[in-house]
Amino acid sequence: MLSRLHTSLLSSLILAGAACGDNGNNTSATESTSSTTDAATATEPTTSTTTSGTPTTSTTSPDETTTTSTEEPTTSTTSTTTGVTPGDCAAPADDADEDGDSIANKDDNCRCDANPNQLDFDGNSVGNVCDAPLVFSIADGAPPEFNKLDSEASASMGPIGCQFPVSLIGTGGDVEVMLDDEGTGKVYAATVNIADTPQLECNILAIVNVKLVIKNLVITGPDAFTVGFPFTVADHNSGTVTGMMDMIHNIVVNGVIDVQESSNEQLAMTGESPLEDVPGSFPVGTVTVVNDGGQVTLDFDNDNHVVFMQTTMGGLEVKLTGLTGKLRLRQ
Ligand SMILES: [Ca+2]
Ligand SMILES: [Ca+2]
Ligand SMILES: [Ca+2]
């Protein structure tokens, strides 16, 4: 199937219009497996990123901790009362200062790791430095104003094209938040899934009828969003922190471009063309973590970001642009 849309006109087929952008990235036409690296380039120069990353590796570290972390609050409460040191440390609850952070063992909420600020975001008596990550999940049935990201798809061939709005709905996945004693933290968003979109359709000047179905978007970036949670906007005692994600996050897109009719088969042959494992990315955004109520919100607000783009060898360019909205996850 794929091959049907192959043969390249590509670089000559660049849309001048703002909505359809000008990234004449001819290599992106390659099929499915080619990947992740192109993606970053196709989407946003700054990312350069990251690479290569194989989707799968990314899930490792977050997942490992997932199970334990949900249990953490309870366990640690018990430990503190029984005098067992928080955070895997055998130092007794005495007047010594095992980690040299000027907090005596008996008062230290993380006895073997220096944490002079004693920040304890979730108030479980285990300092952030010794504590397990906070884990949040997207749940189905969330209010419609959340877990919905608005974007716009475009299909174009050379100077002609069409646009259609797309709502991407988050249906599942886990995000982990790890905080430190300096008022900063990292957010791992390794497994956010976005639902299939309904079929989208446009007619390019009666030359080609294009149907696009985005089967899935999955975050696969191996790296955490690094989020600054400065003291000025964070209240570690009440459990609220807000910060900016400092990097674009890789995603993988699956979908189908279905060319229903084409009056010019040189430009686009009819039939399905899989959009499979097309690399893409989410833009930077804001993260807010509220411990009271246990939720984390990822906000995206970037009309210019190219989430993904694929140019078939037949010269049909399909692109998802702009990303605004919120994903809300709960503990
Ligand atoms: Ca200490
Ligand atoms: Ca300490
Ligand atoms: Ca804690």
Side-chain angles (χ1 to χ4, degrees):
M1 295 281 197
L2 241 199
S3 58
R4 288 202 243 170
L5 292 177
H6 287 195
T7 39
S8 72
L9 289 171
L10 305 191
S11 30
S12 57
L13 296 170
I14 293 166
L15 235 210
C20 290
D22 61 342
N23 193 342
N25 186 348
N26 38 14
T27 55
S28 62
T30 43
E31 31 208 274
S32 40
T33 48
S34 66
S35 344
T36 17
T37 34
D38 282 357
T41 37
T43 47
E44 199 127 25
T46 45
T47 14
S48 55
T49 20
T50 358
T51 60
S52 44
T54 10
T56 34
T57 50
S58 63
T59 45
T60 328
S61 76
D63 283 357
E64 282 169 356
T65 36
T66 305
T67 25
T68 49
S69 57
T70 41
E71 307 286 277
E72 184 67 21
T74 357
T75 341
S76 49
T77 313
T78 320
S79 339
T80 346
T81 40
T82 55
V84 175
T85 309
D88 262 351
C89 174
D94 55 18
D95 290 329
D97 179 11
E98 179 77 18
D99 55 10
D101 60 5
S102 301
I103 313 291
N105 289 349
K106 65 177 195 288
D107 299 320
D108 198 332
N109 64 14
C110 180
R111 278 173 214 162
C112 293
D113 289 296
N115 60 329
N117 296 315
Q118 296 284 290
L119 296 185
D120 175 15
F121 181 77
D122 59 1
N124 67 350
S125 302
V126 179
N128 291 348
V129 172
C130 284
D131 214 348
L134 302 167
V135 179
F136 303 85
S137 299
I138 285 183
D140 283 334
E145 68 273 24
F146 294 101
N147 299 334
K148 182 168 91 63
L149 300 174
D150 294 318
S151 183
E152 183 179 76
S154 64
S156 58
M157 290 186 311
I160 55 171
C162 53
Q163 279 85 36
F164 30 81
V166 181
S167 283
L168 302 169
I169 307 294
T171 57
D174 287 329
V175 167
E176 280 191 9
V177 178
M178 292 193 286
L179 299 158
D180 61 20
D181 198 47
E182 308 300 322
T184 59
K186 289 182 190 298
V187 173
Y188 288 89
T191 59
V192 174
N193 297 303
I194 306 288
D196 299 359
T197 62
Q199 185 170 267
L200 307 159
E201 186 170 358
C202 78
N203 286 294
I204 302 178
L205 290 187
I207 298 173
V208 178
N209 175 256
V210 178
K211 291 186 175 178
L212 171 66
V213 179
I214 301 167
K215 293 289 191 190
N216 206 357
L217 277 74
V218 183
I219 289 185
T220 59
D223 301 319
F225 289 114
T226 300
V227 177
F229 291 124
F231 282 107
T232 50
V233 295
D235 185 337
H236 287 263
N237 294 322
S238 76
T240 302
V241 290
T242 297
M244 290 296 296
M245 295 178 282
D246 71 345
M247 60 187 285
I248 288 168
H249 220 60
N250 290 346
I251 57 173
V252 168
V253 181
N254 282 275
V256 175
I257 306 169
D258 182 7
V259 179
Q260 284 264 305
E261 300 165 26
S262 171
S263 59
N264 184 344
E265 295 212 338
Q266 294 276 24
L267 291 176
M269 298 179 73
T270 55
E272 284 188 358
S273 175
L275 251 184
E276 203 174 322
D277 294 342
V278 175
S281 65
F282 279 170
V284 297
T286 307
V287 176
T288 302
V289 183
V290 181
N291 186 52
D292 179 18
Q295 68 184 46
V296 60
T297 306
L298 308 182
D299 274 272
F300 296 101
D301 185 16
N302 187 335
D303 289 332
N304 301 314
H305 186 80
V306 178
V307 179
F308 75 86
M309 182 181 71
Q310 190 181 41
T311 305
T312 68
M313 296 293 278
L316 178 66
E317 181 184 276
V318 176
K319 190 157 72 170
L320 200 67
T321 310
L323 201 66
T324 60
K326 289 178 192 294
L327 292 177
R328 187 162 71 182
L329 302 95
R330 292 182 179 281
Q331 266 182 320

